[in-house]
Amino acid sequence: MEYNMTKYEKLFFDVDDTLIDFKAAEKVALPIVFNEFKMDFTEEVESFYKTLNRQLWTALEQGEITREQLLERRFRETMQHFGQKVDGREMDKQYRSLLVNTVVLIDGAEQVISQLSEKYELYIVTNGMIKTQHDRLKAANLTPYFKRIFVSEETNYQKPQIEFFNYVMSNVEDFKKSTSMIIGDSFSADIVGGFNAGIDTCWLNAHNQKVESTIQPTYIISKLHDLAEVLL
């Protein structure tokens, strides 16, 4: 595939599993938080929690539930399923504090972002909580490279909702759709969201996912290093 990305001026990056390895942090944080709340983190517990969490995030992206409902329900309903009652928000709060203390970068993330920041304006566009995402980016030493960090809690909308992208576009100086691109690992949030907003997309498809959709990414890369090779 031939790449011609010299037209871009502004690059919008997702965070989790694009720049920061969320799965690595989750692997450390989940057993700790369940053990703190007196629940053995068995394979059965892990499977139930992750399935429920995915369902809730999908519902949130589609506007069916609120962010507060997701944060309150995912741990409360998991513990309830296994016969225990907890304050879902308190358990979630402890979990997110553990995520901040367990930051693992995607391979090459700081090097790639550092190089790109010399040529492009960089922005963060991420779902999640403001404090959690800002703290994680700071812990990863990535904050200085970005002109602004947009978190869904601030916008009151989630990727891929068009309102999220409208908020971002209206709050970036000299924004032009034709010279902007979003880079992310989530097809449903980043690629669909970017497409619907009318901007180019670059899908970081590290695990060779197969997606049936009429929407096609502008570019597909398998590792973050590839982005530097085609943009620089």
Side-chain angles (χ1 to χ4, degrees), residues 27-179:
K27 186 176 181 180
V28 173
L30 280 177
I32 294 174
V33 75
F34 274 97
N35 288 334
E36 285 180 352
F37 282 79
K38 313 303 181 187
M39 171 75 73
D40 291 334
F41 191 61
T42 63
E43 289 185 8
E44 184 181 7
V45 171
E46 180 179 16
S47 176
F48 185 91
Y49 167 79
K50 288 185 174 180
T51 298
L52 174 62
N53 191 46
R54 282 194 300 271
Q55 291 171 347
L56 291 172
W57 273 107
T58 298
L60 180 63
E61 290 177 0
Q62 296 174 353
E64 297 172 356
I65 63 172
T66 67
R67 185 182 308 103
E68 294 302 314
Q69 288 173 322
L70 182 150
L71 298 179
E72 191 277 331
R73 287 176 56 184
R74 57 182 177 178
F75 286 108
R76 176 178 59 79
E77 292 182 10
T78 299
M79 296 292 277
Q80 189 175 45
H81 179 79
F82 292 98
Q84 291 187 215
K85 290 184 178 181
V86 299
D87 182 331
R89 285 307 306 268
E90 181 59 31
M91 191 168 178
D92 188 84
K93 181 180 177 181
Q94 292 197 34
Y95 169 64
R96 286 185 286 110
S97 70
L98 289 166
L99 290 179
V100 173
N101 294 322
T102 317
V103 171
V104 179
L105 284 172
I106 294 294
D107 184 41
E110 186 169 9
Q111 179 186 1
V112 170
I113 292 300
S114 175
Q115 291 174 336
L116 292 176
S117 68
E118 296 177 2
K119 184 176 179 181
Y120 303 93
E121 290 183 13
L122 306 185
Y123 298 85
I124 289 290
V125 285
T126 179
N127 287 340
M129 303 296 286
I130 294 170
K131 186 178 187 308
T132 302
Q133 297 299 59
H134 276 265
D135 286 350
R136 294 171 71 226
L137 287 163
K138 182 178 179 181
N141 298 315
L142 293 179
T143 303
Y145 298 114
F146 294 93
K147 291 201 66 175
R148 183 158 174 185
I149 297 168
F150 292 95
V151 185
S152 59
E153 184 185 18
E154 170 193 347
T155 70
N156 291 318
Y157 297 99
Q158 313 291 319
K159 294 183 299 181
Q161 293 173 308
I162 189 62
E163 293 88 350
F164 176 93
F165 288 91
N166 287 342
Y167 181 96
V168 171
M169 291 186 288
S170 65
N171 283 277
V172 171
E173 187 175 359
D174 297 325
F175 178 87
K176 299 184 187 71
K177 291 184 179 182
S178 61
T179 58

